[in-house]
Amino acid sequence: MTGLDRGGAATAAGYRVRPVEPEDAQALGEVHVQVWHEAYAGVFSQDHLDGLDPVEFTARWRAWTLDPAAQLRTLRVALAPSGRVVGFAIAGPSRDLDAPVADELYAINLLAAHHGSGVADLLLAAVLPGPK
């Protein structure tokens, strides 16, 4: 499978990507913490990872979805074929004054069980759709 058809494979498998809604905050908070545990084990101390609180991450996601300033950012959620939240991506205006492009990928996170599915390609295309 090439990088060019991975998003299509994810769509065919039933994955979907859509804008984040306030109702997604709890699932996103839980996924955000789980992704950190999966991605950063051995990078950050286990004490640090164990201290990550899904409730705090939920509050952060809820604030992002309700903040009018968030309109400057693109927030997308990835759903597995079951409808479960499995990842997210955030993009927005570049924070560098001399940036070569106007938009910047702030984060793209996906649960490890869904790596290789092509859903990350869908997320990336949804937040940074390419030249206009």
Side-chain angles (χ1 to χ4, degrees):
M1 182 179 307
T2 68
L4 297 177
D5 64 3
R6 291 171 48 97
T11 301
Y15 285 94
R16 37 187 205 104
V17 170
R18 63 164 171 74
V20 172
E21 300 170 357
E23 297 77 26
D24 298 321
Q26 182 175 352
L28 284 164
E30 293 167 0
V31 165
H32 205 154
V33 169
Q34 184 177 342
V35 165
W36 270 66
H37 277 269
E38 294 173 351
Y40 296 114
V43 176
F44 289 101
S45 73
Q46 192 59 47
D47 285 343
H48 176 76
L49 294 174
D50 289 344
L52 298 176
D53 184 0
V55 173
E56 289 177 20
F57 278 75
T58 295
R60 191 176 308 162
W61 275 102
R62 186 164 288 113
W64 286 339
T65 62
L66 297 173
D67 180 4
Q71 294 174 6
L72 296 175
R73 295 186 302 264
T74 303
L75 308 170
R76 296 292 182 265
V77 62
L79 304 171
S82 67
R84 180 176 180 242
V85 171
V86 296
F88 61 87
I90 309 168
S94 178
R95 295 171 285 189
D96 295 329
L97 295 176
D98 61 346
V101 294
D103 297 315
E104 176 182 343
L105 178 65
Y106 299 152
I108 186 166
N109 287 210
L110 187 64
L111 294 173
H114 302 274
H115 290 182
S117 67
V119 72
D121 292 5
L122 293 177
L123 279 167
L124 187 59
V127 296
L128 295 175
K132 294 179 171 65

